[in-house]
Amino acid sequence: MIATNGLVDFHCHLDLYPDHQAAVRESEEAGVFTLAVTTTPKAWPRNHELAQATQHVRAALGLHPQLVAERASELALWDAHFVETRYIGEVGLDAGPRFYKSFDLQKQVFKHVLQHCAKAGDKVITVHSIRAAKAVLDYIEAYLPPAKGKVVLHWFTGSKAEAMRALEMGCYFSINAAMLDNERHSSMVAAIPLDRLLTETDGPFTKTAERPSKPADVAVVVEALGRLHSMSTSELAATVRSNLRSLLEPNDECR
Ligand code: MN
């Protein structure tokens, strides 16, 4: 296993591990730049508080599409916390069979999120798009002009053509190990230019060695992406770090 210092886990649910505080500490000690996404606005204050005391962890304000059916009423709370962060997520759309019944409500929430981000400018958003790649891209195109915010598509499983459309819209992609285990998805990942790649674990929802992945396990993704691009692990890690820097550069048009 490679050194973890300076790796990037741009989508991890640190508050869903048995010990949230220990998970944050572990990320910090591993030196992994970690975006701690949240699934409900109620989870924001504690995530924000713990992340603020670190060099490497940042918290994102989310309302997960799979929870919209029960939690749409927390949208006012999401609005209330919105000014406290540049990072937004997990948000997006999920048209899988278990969540399709809330798809219209999910669209209303996602539209609201994108419109708020566009109005504020300069937000960085990690977006879920299970079975909804086209709708997600349609909504981003309609409600968030590229100069008004940056989108990172998390665990994107759309087609290669949809990935190309997302690239034209300026989106980044955060790639996890499960995506690279799947032949169709890994060929889509191989078509993404190096300068739009980020890495993620989506822990604890993915597994590494039969246990829930943690941010340091993003090393596995870095190694796999290196193989995919015939690059050394350290070159690939440096590329992702540089992409993170570009992603986080303030957008001039938003100042
Ligand atoms: Mn997630």
Side-chain angles (χ1 to χ4, degrees), residues 82 86 88 113-127 140 143-152 169-172 246-255:
F82 181 73
R86 187 178 179 206
I88 302 298
V113 164
L114 293 171
Q115 286 179 322
H116 276 245
C117 290
K119 195 166 170 224
D122 215 27
K123 302 285 188 191
V124 177
I125 312 162
T126 175
V127 176
I140 293 167
Y143 302 113
L144 184 68
K148 291 296 184 183
K150 302 239 181 78
V151 172
V152 180
M169 291 164 55
C171 298
Y172 286 69
S246 307
L247 176 76
L248 300 185
E249 259 167 30
N251 192 327
D252 286 332
E253 293 179 56
C254 293
R255 276 183 200 162

Side-chain angles (χ1 to χ4, degrees), residues 28-77:
E28 177 71 353
E29 284 169 3
V32 177
F33 295 108
T34 304
L35 187 65
V37 301
T38 56
T39 55
T40 79
K42 276 188 182 148
W44 164 256
R46 181 62 174 156
N47 272 273
H48 184 43
E49 182 193 359
L50 290 175
Q52 271 185 318
T54 72
Q55 298 277 337
H56 295 90
V57 182
R58 296 293 178 267
L61 172 65
L63 183 47
H64 198 293
Q66 295 177 347
L67 297 180
V68 158
E70 307 91 64
R71 302 288 193 134
S73 63
E74 285 184 39
L75 197 53
L77 191 57

Side-chain angles (χ1 to χ4, degrees), residues 2-255:
I2 62 171
T4 58
N5 200 40
L7 300 186
V8 176
D9 182 356
F10 208 70
H11 187 111
C12 186
H13 298 262
L14 292 181
D15 61 354
L16 300 183
Y17 292 81
D19 186 339
H20 181 189
Q21 194 162 9
V24 172
R25 197 185 317 120
E26 226 177 295
S27 260
E28 177 71 353
E29 284 169 3
V32 177
F33 295 108
T34 304
L35 187 65
V37 301
T38 56
T39 55
T40 79
K42 276 188 182 148
W44 164 256
R46 181 62 174 156
N47 272 273
H48 184 43
E49 182 193 359
L50 290 175
Q52 271 185 318
T54 72
Q55 298 277 337
H56 295 90
V57 182
R58 296 293 178 267
L61 172 65
L63 183 47
H64 198 293
Q66 295 177 347
L67 297 180
V68 158
E70 307 91 64
R71 302 288 193 134
S73 63
E74 285 184 39
L75 197 53
L77 191 57
W78 186 91
D79 290 351
H81 289 303
F82 181 73
V83 296
E84 296 165 32
T85 181
R86 187 178 179 206
Y87 300 97
I88 302 298
E90 180 165 356
V91 294
L93 298 175
D94 191 313
R98 285 171 59 208
F99 306 103
Y100 196 71
K101 63 180 184 310
S102 67
F103 201 54
D104 286 336
L105 190 56
Q106 290 178 41
K107 283 177 171 172
Q108 287 174 38
V109 168
F110 191 44
K111 176 178 170 183
H112 176 99
V113 164
L114 293 171
Q115 286 179 322
H116 276 245
C117 290
K119 195 166 170 224
D122 215 27
K123 302 285 188 191
V124 177
I125 312 162
T126 175
V127 176
H128 173 114
S129 57
I130 289 186
R131 299 221 190 165
K134 183 185 182 299
V136 160
L137 297 179
D138 287 346
Y139 269 63
I140 293 167
E141 194 168 69
Y143 302 113
L144 184 68
K148 291 296 184 183
K150 302 239 181 78
V151 172
V152 180
L153 295 167
H154 131 74
W155 204 333
F156 185 80
T157 54
S159 66
K160 211 177 276 189
E162 286 163 335
M164 295 307 119
R165 180 182 169 206
L167 286 162
E168 277 168 31
M169 291 164 55
C171 298
Y172 286 69
F173 294 78
S174 55
I175 309 302
N176 64 47
M179 294 168 73
L180 297 170
D181 285 343
N182 174 302
E183 201 170 317
R184 187 174 74 85
H185 299 157
S186 77
S187 99
M188 182 271 295
V189 171
I192 299 170
L194 276 168
D195 65 357
R196 296 293 184 83
L197 289 179
L198 294 168
T199 45
E200 65 166 49
T201 59
D202 201 18
F205 295 112
T206 59
K207 287 197 164 170
T208 305
E210 304 303 311
R211 50 151 181 84
S213 304
K214 40 193 181 180
D217 295 320
V218 85
V220 175
V221 188
V222 175
E223 288 170 324
L225 279 175
R227 282 194 296 275
L228 194 66
H229 286 280
S230 307
M231 285 166 72
S232 73
T233 305
S234 63
E235 266 181 304
L236 200 285
T239 301
V240 170
R241 214 151 39 235
S242 149
N243 294 346
L244 180 64
R245 218 172 294 126
S246 307
L247 176 76
L248 300 185
E249 259 167 30
N251 192 327
D252 286 332
E253 293 179 56
C254 293
R255 276 183 200 162

